[in-house]
Amino acid sequence: MGKVNKTEREWQRELSPEEYRITRQKGTEPAFTGQYWNSKIVGTYRCRCCDTALFSSEAKYDSGSGWPSFYRPIESTSVDEHVDASHGMVRTEITCHICDAHLGHVFEDGPEPTGLRYCINSAALKLQSAENSDEDHYP
């Protein structure tokens, strides 16, 4: 799949104001408020903007951070890493490889087998449950 290139106006029409703020303007949702931070539903977490498969529930764990956390993406090529020196700190930003949506950050304090914690905004994701193949069924 090639890169998705849309204008800011097109993204604004397709996304909710919160989804746009987070995915296109590099925002962050407050901890413990996102739709998926404590979800136990089995399935695939896809990019809210372009539907690329990003993370599996099999790699999801409770990091205690208040955001959905994963120890690896489905494919290493589905996400890109960038230096983020905003807010007086240096972190590694994670974006969708296909549409450049801001997803969150990755930290080196995760569990085995990778030691990584992909800390992702719920608003950047949509869950395709293994049972229902859509995101219309939540606990």
Side-chain angles (χ1 to χ4, degrees), residues 119-137:
C119 188
I120 309 298
N121 290 288
S122 289
L125 302 171
K126 56 184 171 182
L127 175 59
Q128 179 182 14
S129 71
E131 188 175 293
N132 299 311
S133 294
D134 63 36
E135 63 171 308
D136 294 330
H137 305 301

Side-chain angles (χ1 to χ4, degrees), residues 6-23:
K6 295 183 181 182
T7 67
E8 291 307 303
R9 189 79 169 139
E10 288 173 310
W11 287 123
Q12 287 173 329
R13 281 194 294 256
E14 293 178 19
L15 302 169
S16 74
E18 181 73 350
E19 292 164 354
Y20 179 80
R21 182 184 71 78
I22 289 169
T23 62

Side-chain angles (χ1 to χ4, degrees), residues 17 25 39 41 43-44 53-54 60 66-67 72 76 100 104 108 126:
Q25 297 179 318
S39 176
I41 297 173
T44 301
L54 298 172
K60 190 174 188 284
W67 287 279
R72 72 169 169 250
S76 61
D100 298 324
E108 295 181 351
K126 56 184 171 182

Side-chain angles (χ1 to χ4, degrees), residues 23-129:
T23 62
R24 310 319 305 177
Q25 297 179 318
K26 302 183 185 296
T28 301
E29 62 199 9
F32 304 101
T33 64
Q35 181 174 13
Y36 303 123
W37 76 270
N38 65 348
S39 176
K40 305 286 191 259
I41 297 173
V42 175
T44 301
Y45 289 86
R46 305 181 80 82
C47 178
R48 170 68 59 189
C49 297
C50 71
D51 205 40
T52 297
L54 298 172
F55 299 96
S56 169
S57 61
E58 294 175 10
K60 190 174 188 284
Y61 71 100
D62 182 2
S63 67
S65 68
W67 287 279
S69 297
F70 306 86
Y71 58 82
R72 72 169 169 250
I74 289 175
E75 298 286 336
S76 61
T77 56
S78 63
V79 297
D80 294 328
E81 297 184 4
H82 312 275
V83 174
D84 176 0
S86 65
H87 307 293
M89 58 187 126
V90 178
R91 301 174 289 174
T92 302
E93 176 192 14
I94 299 301
T95 60
C96 175
H97 177 72
I98 299 299
C99 70
D100 298 324
H102 170 76
L103 303 171
H105 294 86
V106 64
F107 302 94
E108 295 181 351
D109 60 1
E112 293 298 326
T114 65
L116 299 175
R117 173 173 53 102
Y118 289 83
C119 188
I120 309 298
N121 290 288
S122 289
L125 302 171
K126 56 184 171 182
L127 175 59
Q128 179 182 14
S129 71

